[in-house]
């Protein structure tokens, strides 16, 4: 009984020592040391977005976290010029946060960001502090550039709260780790180990945005790709008002257009995900239809279904999900895909680790040389 009491007392004391509430923490993000397998570089995204918002005077830039004085856009340019630095090339970004943690879970809140540049002589040049209360509405509307390894549709706020980036703790409460940097690693592991629930963490969805071109075999009238083209063209020619409503008015005059138009290109944007048991799930987002080699406005799947066009007794959604036609990948997330690499990426999506697709394709590039 005494032994059990002793163990319980130890656990209570241990939890009391390791638990904390609203601990001020500063973390450092080195833009040059981020992993491309995450799909995005949080340092680049923050710097580019912040600079745009500052120059457009949509948010304030303060001299320090105390916010005692402002740095105007013109003053920032003067600081850049006098120190021969460029805000857009800032490598070191610092998040100001508050952490709450106990034995079961960790919660973190990001409240501000500091930017530091290096002069040609190696001197640290402070380029100000941004209060995130002002920035969140903008960051939530700004999508990150996502390479082929990442997940589609993430905005800057979600990227910041995903915690899928490399960082080091610079200051924890009143402690800094200059003398014993390994303590920083220990502190980070205690807060964000795999056993703890991490509250406020943005969900990390396994999905990708793909854009592809449907290939049309004009010489094969019954080929499904050709049927997609001809049936959509037939619908638009029979419903000229629809054609004009989706952008046809930019190229044609409703009163004088007498001849039929031809659908010359169809691009499809989808989000694809992986089922737990294997296989892919695709959700059509929109189609971009070209008539007489001119692009119309993008059309949502909902609108396409309202058109009620039938393709071999199937809806447009069923036909596109079935992929019984030839197609060429044009984009994967934010990345342009060369035509000669389309098949490699398609194979990688079906068979390889989604966080390492760039390495899969690189192996094919080397073989092809």
């Amino acid at each position: 009984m005494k032994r059990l009491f002793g163990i319980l007392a130890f656990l209570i004391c241990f939890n009391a020592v390791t638990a904390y509430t609203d601990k001020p923490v500063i973390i450092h993000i080195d833009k040059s040391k981020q992993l491309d397998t995450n799909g995005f570089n949080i340092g680049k995204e923050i710097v580019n977005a912040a600079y745009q918002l500052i120059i457009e005077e949509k948010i304030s830039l303060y001299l320090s976290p105390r916010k005692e004085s402002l740095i105007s856009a013109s003053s920032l340019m003067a600081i850049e010029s006098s120190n021969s630095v460029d805000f857009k090339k800032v490598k070191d970004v610092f998040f100001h946060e508050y952490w709450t943690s106990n034995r079961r879970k960790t919660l973190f809140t990001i409240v501000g960001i500091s930017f530091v540049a290096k002069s040609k002589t190696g001197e640290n040049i402070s380029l100000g502090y941004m209060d995130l209360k002002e920035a969140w509405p903008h960051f939530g509307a700004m999508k990150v550039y996502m390479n082929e390894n990442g997940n589609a549709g993430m905005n800057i706020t979600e990227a910041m709260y995903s915690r899928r980036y490399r960082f080091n703790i610079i200051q924890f409460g009143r402690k800094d780790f200059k003398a014993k940097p390994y303590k920083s690693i220990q502190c980070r592991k205690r807060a964000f180990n795999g056993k703890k629930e991490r509250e406020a963490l943005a969900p990390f969805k396994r999905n990708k945005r793909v854009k592809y071109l449907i290939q049309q075999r004009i010489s094969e009238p019954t080929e499904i790709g050709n049927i997609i083209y001809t049936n959509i063209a037939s619908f638009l020619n029979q419903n000229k008002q629809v054609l004009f409503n989706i952008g046809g008015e930019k190229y044609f005059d409703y009163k004088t257009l007498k001849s039929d138009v031809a659908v010359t290109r169809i691009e499809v944007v989808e989000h694809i995900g992986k089922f737990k048991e294997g296989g892919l799930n695709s959700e059509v987002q929109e189609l971009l239809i070209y008539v007489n080699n001119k692009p119309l406005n993008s059309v949502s799947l909902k609108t396409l279904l309202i058109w009620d066009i039938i393709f071999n007794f199937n809806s447009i959604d069923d036909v596109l999900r079935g992929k019984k036609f030839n197609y060429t990948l044009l984009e994967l997330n934010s990345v342009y895909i060369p035509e000669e690499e389309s098949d490699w990426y398609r194979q990688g999506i079906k068979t390889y680790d989604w966080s390492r697709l760039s390495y899969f394709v690189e192996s094919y590039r080397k073989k092809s040389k």
Side-chain angles (χ1 to χ4, degrees), residues 107-121:
L107 169 68
F108 70 100
T109 304
I110 312 171
V111 296
I113 305 173
S114 293
F115 304 91
V116 177
K118 286 277 188 186
S119 70
K120 292 180 179 179
T121 60

Side-chain angles (χ1 to χ4, degrees), residues 102-323:
N102 56 38
R103 186 166 50 88
R104 297 187 305 276
K105 60 186 179 181
T106 292
L107 169 68
F108 70 100
T109 304
I110 312 171
V111 296
I113 305 173
S114 293
F115 304 91
V116 177
K118 286 277 188 186
S119 70
K120 292 180 179 179
T121 60
E123 180 185 1
N124 287 330
I125 308 297
S126 173
L127 294 180
Y129 171 84
M130 180 173 66
D131 188 335
L132 286 172
K133 285 182 182 178
E134 300 177 36
W136 288 135
H138 302 287
F139 281 179
M142 301 171 81
K143 298 295 184 182
V144 303
Y145 176 90
M146 190 67 69
N147 72 22
E148 58 266 59
N149 301 321
N151 299 317
M154 189 176 284
N155 61 46
I156 294 179
T157 301
E158 290 169 334
M160 291 173 68
Y161 272 97
S162 73
R163 263 313 191 236
R164 290 182 177 264
Y165 43 84
R166 285 183 165 181
F167 69 92
N168 293 313
I169 301 174
I170 300 301
Q171 189 170 326
F172 184 79
R174 296 183 178 180
K175 297 178 182 178
D176 65 52
F177 303 97
K178 293 177 182 177
K180 298 178 179 179
Y182 68 92
K183 292 278 189 181
S184 167
I185 298 172
Q186 292 176 346
C187 183
R188 184 182 62 197
K189 285 183 176 179
R190 281 196 296 268
F192 292 96
N193 66 54
K195 296 178 181 179
K196 283 189 179 184
E197 177 187 349
R198 286 171 282 184
E199 291 191 352
L201 209 62
F204 201 68
K205 299 176 182 178
R206 286 288 178 189
N207 67 335
K208 295 187 184 296
R209 174 188 179 273
V210 296
K211 184 177 184 180
Y212 60 85
L213 168 66
I214 297 177
Q215 301 288 357
Q216 180 184 18
R217 296 182 189 173
I218 298 175
S219 60
E220 299 180 33
T222 60
E223 188 267 330
I224 188 62
N226 188 67
I227 291 173
I228 293 172
Y229 275 77
T230 56
N231 286 16
I232 291 177
S234 177
F235 173 83
L236 293 177
N237 284 312
Q238 292 172 21
N239 300 271
K240 289 291 199 309
Q241 189 58 56
V242 174
L243 170 64
F244 283 85
N245 288 343
I246 60 172
E249 83 284 349
K250 293 181 289 186
Y251 315 112
F252 311 109
D253 188 324
Y254 185 78
K255 294 179 180 179
T256 60
L257 180 64
K258 302 300 181 184
S259 61
D260 286 346
V261 297
V263 173
T264 52
R265 183 181 177 93
I266 300 176
E267 298 173 0
V268 184
V269 175
E270 293 183 355
H271 281 182
I272 57 173
K274 279 188 176 181
F275 291 115
K276 290 182 179 180
E277 61 274 13
L280 301 178
N281 175 51
S282 63
E283 295 183 3
V284 179
Q285 303 297 303
E286 60 186 18
L287 266 68
L288 180 60
I289 301 167
Y290 289 68
V291 295
N292 296 4
N293 297 318
K294 298 175 175 65
L296 301 175
N297 301 334
S298 60
V299 181
S300 69
L301 176 63
K302 181 179 179 180
T303 298
L304 285 160
L305 292 173
I306 291 173
W307 290 356
D308 198 26
I309 307 173
I310 301 301
F311 308 86
N312 283 359
F313 306 102
N314 292 301
S315 70
I316 186 65
D317 191 25
D318 293 332
V319 169
L320 294 177
R321 284 175 182 269
K323 300 285 189 304

Side-chain angles (χ1 to χ4, degrees), residues 349-363:
I349 288 170
K350 292 178 182 177
T351 64
Y352 205 67
D353 179 356
W354 275 17
S355 66
R356 299 180 63 83
L357 284 179
S358 62
Y359 297 93
F360 178 83
V361 172
E362 181 60 30
S363 68

Side-chain angles (χ1 to χ4, degrees), residues 47-110:
V47 169
N48 292 340
Y51 188 76
Q52 176 185 334
L53 295 171
I54 292 164
I55 294 302
E56 294 175 358
E57 298 185 339
K58 292 181 178 178
I59 60 172
S60 302
L61 184 68
Y62 297 93
L63 192 63
S64 76
R66 291 189 294 274
K67 300 195 295 184
E68 71 277 12
S69 57
L70 290 167
I71 302 174
S72 65
S74 58
S75 296
L76 175 62
M77 293 178 185
I79 294 171
E80 290 177 294
S81 178
S82 62
N83 292 280
S84 298
V85 295
D86 185 345
F87 191 104
K88 297 188 295 296
K89 295 182 180 178
V90 163
K91 185 171 73 74
D92 299 304
V93 178
F94 299 84
F95 287 2
H96 298 252
E97 307 183 347
Y98 286 97
W99 291 10
T100 295
S101 187
N102 56 38
R103 186 166 50 88
R104 297 187 305 276
K105 60 186 179 181
T106 292
L107 169 68
F108 70 100
T109 304
I110 312 171

